[in-house]
């Protein structure tokens, strides 16, 4: 497995394998930590921008926590001249799960580039720092892309700060169905009674798709919240 990993990284540097192919081989071998260390070491010596970007793209898919990568990923996330490199930097920050990256990520929730806003939100959710919940909620209220807005709102629930439940109320009246559902799901994830009441209404529906919608409100919820609601349905 180690030999195959080294061979894949050498092929990446030679340009005979794509970053996705290399990431898939590493994931299949289960050598993510070894590959992360090898790539971190390689980035010290690589000067070819194209090759560095390729290595960084692999890291965006397989990186494990590593002391040398936080600074590199932070620099990449802040760059403005290469959108692909920037988004990979954001993905790496999410995979590193370092709370110290939160101040870097929160200002990017209002960037002009949609991809940057979305990846910054994903990274904050992956880091699981409750202090980012308020910033996600504020950003969601001005986000014009429905998919990204729903991602941010559900992220508020996943970050587990119950104080944000009240701020979600205004979104329950949104004209966007995806926004209303995301706000309800976020409230369920926070253990909020009004969210549970909305789920119970869906559970009682004669329409199987509405019942399924109610179940999916607990997607990502800890078992201590989901089990009492879902077990009776089973």
């Amino acid at each position: 497995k180690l030999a195959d990993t080294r061979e894949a990284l050498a092929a990446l540097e030679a340009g005979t394998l794509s970053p996705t192919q290399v990431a898939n081989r590493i994931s299949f071998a289960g050598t993510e930590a070894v590959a992360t260390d090898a790539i971190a070491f390689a980035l010290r010596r690589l000067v070819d921008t194209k090759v560095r970007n390729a290595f960084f793209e692999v890291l965006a898919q397989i990186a494990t926590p590593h002391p040398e990568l936080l600074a590199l990923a932070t620099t990449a996330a802040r760059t403005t001249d290469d959108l692909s490199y920037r988004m990979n930097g954001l993905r790496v920050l999410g995979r590193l799960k370092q709370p110290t990256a939160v101040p870097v990520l929160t200002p990017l929730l209002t960037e002009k580039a949609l991809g940057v806003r979305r990846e910054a939100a994903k990274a904050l959710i992956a880091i699981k720092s409750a202090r980012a919940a308020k910033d996600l909620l504020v950003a969601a209220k001005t986000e014009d892309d429905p998919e990204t807005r729903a991602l941010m709102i559900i992220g508020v629930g996943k970050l587990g700060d119950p104080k944000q439940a009240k701020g979600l109320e205004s979104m329950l009246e949104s004209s966007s169905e995806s926004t209303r559902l995301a706000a309800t799901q976020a409230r369920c994830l926070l253990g909020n009674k009004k969210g549970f009441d909305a789920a119970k209404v869906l559970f009682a529906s004669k329409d199987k798709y509405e019942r399924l919608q109610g179940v999916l409100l607990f997607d990502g919820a800890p078992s201590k919240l989901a089990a009492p609601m879902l077990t009776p349905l089973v």
Side-chain angles (χ1 to χ4, degrees), residues 119-193:
E119 292 302 331
K122 287 181 179 179
L124 285 168
I125 295 166
I127 292 171
K128 296 182 180 178
S129 174
R131 64 182 173 137
K134 184 177 180 180
D135 293 299
L136 274 175
L137 183 56
V138 170
K141 290 180 177 179
T142 58
E143 177 55 57
D144 56 10
D145 177 67
E147 184 180 336
T148 303
R149 181 168 61 244
L151 169 72
M152 290 175 171
I153 295 169
I154 294 170
V156 172
K158 288 182 176 180
L159 293 184
D161 180 2
K163 296 193 295 293
Q164 304 308 319
K166 186 170 180 59
L168 292 163
E169 287 183 10
S170 62
M171 295 186 167
L172 297 172
E173 306 300 324
S174 172
S175 60
S176 165
E177 183 181 10
S178 64
T179 299
R180 295 195 303 272
L181 280 173
T184 303
Q185 182 175 349
R187 289 166 75 97
C188 288
L189 295 176
L190 291 173
N192 180 266
K193 182 180 181 300

Side-chain angles (χ1 to χ4, degrees), residues 3-229:
D4 187 57
T5 299
R6 286 195 293 270
E7 182 182 298
L9 292 175
L12 176 68
E13 187 169 353
T16 56
L17 282 179
S18 72
T20 299
Q21 288 173 317
V22 173
N24 287 341
R25 285 177 64 167
I26 291 168
S27 296
F28 182 76
T31 54
E32 290 90 344
V34 172
T36 298
D37 190 56
I39 293 174
F41 181 78
L43 288 173
R44 297 180 201 166
R45 60 174 176 78
L46 289 172
V47 294
D48 186 296
T49 302
K50 185 177 180 180
V51 177
R52 283 179 62 86
N53 287 357
F55 272 76
F56 224 73
E57 189 173 338
V58 173
L59 283 176
Q61 300 174 69
I62 61 94
T64 59
H66 192 284
E68 291 185 30
L69 293 182
L70 183 60
L72 287 170
T74 298
T75 300
R78 286 173 167 161
T79 188
T80 56
D81 57 353
D82 188 332
L83 182 59
S84 177
Y85 188 61
R86 189 178 199 186
M87 290 174 65
N88 282 327
L90 291 167
R91 293 179 186 122
V92 173
L93 286 177
R95 293 190 65 88
L96 295 179
K97 296 180 171 55
Q98 292 295 314
T100 51
V102 171
V104 176
L105 294 166
T106 48
L108 302 181
L109 294 172
T110 54
E111 273 281 315
K112 286 185 178 181
L114 171 60
V116 172
R117 299 197 303 273
R118 183 182 296 137
E119 292 302 331
K122 287 181 179 179
L124 285 168
I125 295 166
I127 292 171
K128 296 182 180 178
S129 174
R131 64 182 173 137
K134 184 177 180 180
D135 293 299
L136 274 175
L137 183 56
V138 170
K141 290 180 177 179
T142 58
E143 177 55 57
D144 56 10
D145 177 67
E147 184 180 336
T148 303
R149 181 168 61 244
L151 169 72
M152 290 175 171
I153 295 169
I154 294 170
V156 172
K158 288 182 176 180
L159 293 184
D161 180 2
K163 296 193 295 293
Q164 304 308 319
K166 186 170 180 59
L168 292 163
E169 287 183 10
S170 62
M171 295 186 167
L172 297 172
E173 306 300 324
S174 172
S175 60
S176 165
E177 183 181 10
S178 64
T179 299
R180 295 195 303 272
L181 280 173
T184 303
Q185 182 175 349
R187 289 166 75 97
C188 288
L189 295 176
L190 291 173
N192 180 266
K193 182 180 181 300
K194 290 183 179 179
F196 287 177
D197 290 344
K200 288 175 181 176
V201 171
L202 292 172
F203 292 161
S205 174
K206 292 182 179 180
D207 186 315
K208 65 180 180 180
Y209 295 107
E210 288 189 356
R211 296 198 300 275
L212 175 61
Q213 205 170 55
V215 172
L216 292 177
L217 292 176
F218 292 88
D219 182 21
S223 60
K224 66 180 180 181
L225 293 179
M229 296 291 292

